[in-house]
Amino acid sequence: MYASAMTKRGPRGPVPIYQTIIKAIKDDIASGRLKPGQALPTEAELGETHGASRLTVRRALAALREESVIYTVRPEGSYVGPEDAPKIRKAWPFEQVAASIAEGIKKGNYETDEVLPSETEMMEQHGVAKKTVRAAVALLREQGWVYTVPAIGTFVAARDKWPNTP
Amino acid sequence: MYASAMTKRGPRGPVPIYQTIIKAIKDDIASGRLKPGQALPTEAELGETHGASRLTVRRALAALREESVIYTVRPEGSYVGPEDAPKIRKAWPFEQVAASIAEGIKKGNYETDEVLPSETEMMEQHGVAKKTVRAAVALLREQGWVYTVPAIGTFVAARDKWPNTP
DNA sequence: GCTCATTTGTCCGTATGTATC
DNA sequence: TGATACATACGGACAAATGAG
């Protein structure tokens, strides 16, 4: 037994910690616990689970990036590659609101070219700020669910404009 | 024969690497490639250019610090001494934006008490984030280039308030 | 428009273990 | 044995980007 066993700084074993982290993540991908497009835990979380500092985690992630196993979007986090896989992550509030509205459109709660509820109504309905509602509507417009006539309002788009949702 | 024969560790020649680095930096200063107040390359960069580890670079820098040839500001980097020399270093983005705006004021692009462009315009003009623009304006305010009327806007200060720029 | 929170990016300072000469 | 050198690892500080309120 050595004193160094108490407050060691260097490698804690025969295998460097950052290589252990690399292997752990690769294993998670191989076993399917992490799927392409899925978000990795944050660097801080990975550090906690492996008992390592953020620098050590970053070293592991840098190596995985180098190998194109993962990719990183600032400030969202890192995802399992390849980049074109649909992202699996905790949605932002504005994305949840958008999804909820899109769901309503798909279910037929609105007719084509029907005007959407007012911002105030949507704020109350979803319990979010006006800014969030606007971000959600902007996303729906991008995706083709709705169209906006300036100074008039936002309307449900025709069915053939909707995105394919498999 | 040992595998270690490939990746030798010890001194690579008659002169220790850290002394080579010390000499290289002193030569750069003597020849004028490095001027007082100027920022040295980062420790990692020096390590790459000299083919040495960061620790070896740090040993060289520590010796130079001991001799007061350089001084170090954490986390900015090391500068050629003495400390009271004006810093010549890679400016942060917000400092570059501030310098650019101050240049415009000095050149006479704005009249005294004229309002500055909006944050949005400045963001586009300099290709930076809103926060960066704000930091730049805050710096200009500190230096006396501009003054801000809350809820109204930021204006160019009178000439006698400007800092002396030698 | 302003402020806060979260997350990644990039530095410096320091300590330990190990290998070579 | 001691000087030199490298890899590993922890911690702290600050910048940048973006969503949310």
Side-chain angles (χ1 to χ4, degrees):
Chain A
M1 199 215 277
Y2 301 88
S4 54
M6 320 253 310
T7 58
K8 246 204 247 180
R9 283 295 186 86
R12 281 198 297 252
V15 181
I17 301 177
Y18 77 91
Q19 288 191 11
T20 309
I21 298 175
I22 292 174
K23 191 170 182 305
I25 292 175
K26 282 188 175 174
D27 283 351
D28 278 349
I29 294 172
S31 70
R33 278 187 296 274
L34 283 176
K35 295 185 180 64
Q38 187 164 351
L40 268 65
T42 67
E43 295 176 352
E45 282 172 344
L46 285 170
E48 269 186 44
T49 58
H50 289 93
S53 75
R54 213 188 121 204
L55 183 69
T56 305
V57 171
R58 283 184 61 72
R59 175 183 277 200
L61 295 186
L64 291 168
R65 257 196 302 274
E66 197 74 20
E67 292 181 59
S68 297
V69 175
I70 65 168
Y71 67 96
T72 301
V73 181
R74 183 176 166 189
E76 294 181 10
S78 294
Y79 300 90
V80 179
E83 284 200 41
D84 53 2
K87 285 182 190 174
I88 308 170
R89 58 164 160 83
K90 197 184 71 188
W92 293 109
F94 83 93
E95 291 173 317
Q96 292 176 6
V97 171
S100 164
I101 296 172
E103 195 60 30
I105 294 174
K106 231 189 328 186
K107 273 202 215 151
N109 295 358
Y110 305 99
E111 299 291 323
T112 297
D113 297 325
E114 187 180 341
V115 71
L116 284 188
S118 73
E119 284 186 336
T120 312
E121 279 180 80
M122 290 202 258
M123 281 168 63
E124 285 172 11
Q125 203 175 330
H126 298 95
V128 295
K130 191 186 301 185
K131 196 174 184 178
T132 306
V133 168
R134 289 207 181 126
V137 171
L139 181 61
L140 290 170
R141 198 158 42 228
E142 250 178 58
Q143 297 177 336
W145 289 103
V146 302
Y147 63 95
T148 297
V149 182
I152 303 293
T154 297
F155 305 85
V156 176
R159 238 193 165 74
D160 60 300
K161 299 281 177 56
W162 297 358
N164 301 325
T165 48
Chain B
M1 202 215 276
Y2 301 87
S4 53
M6 320 255 309
T7 58
K8 243 205 254 185
R9 287 295 184 84
R12 281 198 298 253
V15 181
I17 300 178
Y18 76 91
Q19 289 192 10
T20 308
I21 298 175
I22 292 174
K23 190 170 182 310
I25 292 175
K26 282 188 176 176
D27 283 351
D28 278 348
I29 294 172
S31 70
R33 279 188 294 275
L34 283 176
K35 295 184 180 64
Q38 189 167 351
L40 268 65
T42 66
E43 294 177 351
E45 282 172 345
L46 285 170
E48 268 187 45
T49 58
H50 289 93
S53 77
R54 216 190 111 201
L55 185 65
T56 305
V57 171
R58 286 182 60 70
R59 178 175 295 193
L61 295 186
L64 291 169
R65 256 195 304 274
E66 197 73 21
E67 292 182 61
S68 297
V69 174
I70 64 167
Y71 67 96
T72 302
V73 180
R74 184 173 166 186
E76 295 181 8
S78 294
Y79 301 89
V80 179
E83 280 199 46
D84 53 2
K87 282 185 193 173
I88 309 169
R89 57 164 160 88
K90 198 183 68 190
W92 294 114
F94 82 93
E95 290 173 318
Q96 291 176 4
V97 171
S100 164
I101 296 171
E103 196 60 32
I105 295 174
K106 230 185 337 184
K107 273 202 216 147
N109 295 358
Y110 304 100
E111 300 291 325
T112 297
D113 297 325
E114 187 180 341
V115 71
L116 283 187
S118 73
E119 285 186 334
T120 312
E121 280 178 80
M122 291 202 255
M123 281 169 61
E124 284 174 11
Q125 203 176 329
H126 299 96
V128 296
K130 193 184 302 183
K131 199 170 181 178
T132 306
V133 169
R134 287 204 187 125
V137 171
L139 181 60
L140 291 171
R141 199 158 40 227
E142 250 178 58
Q143 297 178 336
W145 289 104
V146 301
Y147 63 95
T148 297
V149 181
I152 303 292
T154 298
F155 304 86
V156 175
R159 238 193 168 74
D160 61 302
K161 299 284 178 55
W162 298 358
N164 302 324
T165 48

